[in-house]
Amino acid sequence: MTNATPIASNGLPRETILSTPLARSFVTVVFSTLVLLVVCLLFAPSSVSWGALSGSLPFAATIAIVGLGQLLVVQQGGFDLSLPGAVSLAVVVSTHHPHQDDGLLYQAVLLAIAFALVAGFLNGILVSFFRLNAIIATIGTNALLYGAVFATSGGVPSITTNLLAEIAGGETLGLPNSVYFVLGATAIVSFVLKKTVVGRRFEAIGANPLAGRAAGLRVRLHQMMAYVYAQLLYCLAGILIAGITREPTAFQGDSLLLPSVAVVVLGGTSLLGGRGYPISTVIAAFFLNQLSQFALSVGVPFSAQTIIQALALGFGIGVYSLRWSVNLRQTAGTKNVEEKK
């Protein structure tokens, strides 16, 4: 007597479809977000009011953007610890260089992009060509970036220009402009990773660099460019923060490192590299930000935010590790049954 396996409309076993990494990561993070929203409605309704959401969405957007940057590096099996310095440098350049003159804003943005490209190529060359440990290399780059931060600002905050405040901190059709920036960044990253030859090679190299090298792919080039693309996304986040905050400090990036890793993990991307899930990462950024808002609403002190983010990171690692263990046991059991037959 044999058990029939349900077949989906596309001809694949339904169990196979439901157990794919994309479905697992997307469904997990969406379900977790919905549960969190229900909990917020029951115990802290003020945290999901439109006023609270419109005030917190810009910060969720910045977490999502730096999360997308960290995602690209993690896909290549690395970590980018230069994120705090990169974001902080973009903030101080876009606020100090114009001296509150809207006419000089474009120069400040171009200068911030130039710094991001230099930092990205430095990280990429050190890691991919000189084979330095990613953590060590990016920590060194982070120190250099903070040196540039102090050289530019002296550690003193500056008021942003009115034009940047309008672009980054304003609203369009009732939504913060930063939301449109993160939607655009997500669309670009998702399209390149999932719909282009370059993106598929990028993911294949992240999953197995040795196989990619054997297939004739330019492994080191793709690994280097991951850090360059990440720096550009950090730069975007820093410029947005400069417009949202109006008078940002010189250390705005310090609070974004742990969330950037947490949303990548919550989005279902393996820390060992391989396939990445930009949309799931962005949803995870909203989940993490809303979790922080809920904690503040129920009286948890702001100083405990790092602990909450660390717990969310551990939750993500635990959930996906558990699911992998279950799938492996099921696969092993299926093979044993087939061998006996």
Side-chain angles (χ1 to χ4, degrees), residues 50 52-62 175-176 178-179 182 244 286 289:
W50 178 244
L53 288 176
S54 61
S56 64
L57 279 177
F59 299 99
T62 58
L175 286 176
S178 55
V179 173
V182 73
I244 294 168
F286 174 77
N289 185 74

Side-chain angles (χ1 to χ4, degrees), residues 7-121:
I7 303 297
S9 59
N10 59 2
L12 294 176
R14 186 171 299 173
E15 291 180 358
T16 302
I17 296 176
L18 293 178
S19 63
T20 58
L22 178 60
R24 180 171 60 251
S25 64
F26 183 77
V27 171
T28 300
V29 72
V30 169
F31 177 76
S32 301
T33 302
L34 293 176
V35 170
L36 176 61
L37 291 175
V38 172
V39 173
C40 290
L41 286 171
L42 293 176
F43 299 100
S46 61
S47 65
V48 289
S49 64
W50 178 244
L53 288 176
S54 61
S56 64
L57 279 177
F59 299 99
T62 58
I63 294 175
I65 292 173
V66 296
L68 289 173
Q70 193 73 256
L71 167 71
L72 298 175
V73 175
V74 170
Q75 281 189 266
Q76 297 302 316
F79 289 101
D80 193 348
L81 302 188
S82 66
L83 183 154
V87 173
S88 298
L89 183 57
V91 169
V92 300
V93 168
S94 56
T95 53
H96 284 74
H97 181 76
H99 300 291
Q100 303 180 34
D101 184 354
D102 290 340
L104 297 177
L105 179 60
Y106 79 95
Q107 295 181 3
V109 171
L110 292 177
L111 183 60
I113 293 174
F115 277 123
L117 290 173
V118 171
F121 279 112

Side-chain angles (χ1 to χ4, degrees), residues 157-245:
S158 177
I159 299 175
T160 189
T161 63
N162 293 328
L163 179 59
L164 183 57
E166 182 180 349
I167 294 174
E171 293 186 357
T172 302
L173 300 177
L175 286 176
N177 290 340
S178 55
V179 173
Y180 297 103
F181 279 99
V182 73
L183 290 177
T186 305
I188 293 172
V189 173
S190 298
F191 176 79
V192 172
L193 284 181
K194 307 301 180 182
K195 300 298 182 180
T196 66
V197 175
V198 173
R200 293 176 180 176
R201 288 176 178 174
F202 183 88
E203 292 195 329
I205 290 171
N208 195 329
L210 295 178
R213 188 174 290 109
L217 301 181
R218 304 180 70 177
V219 174
R220 293 184 178 182
L221 177 62
H222 284 81
Q223 291 176 341
M224 179 185 70
M225 294 307 297
Y227 291 90
V228 176
Y229 300 145
Q231 287 291 327
L232 291 175
L233 288 166
Y234 304 155
C235 179
L236 173 60
I239 294 172
L240 290 177
I241 291 173
I244 294 168
T245 311

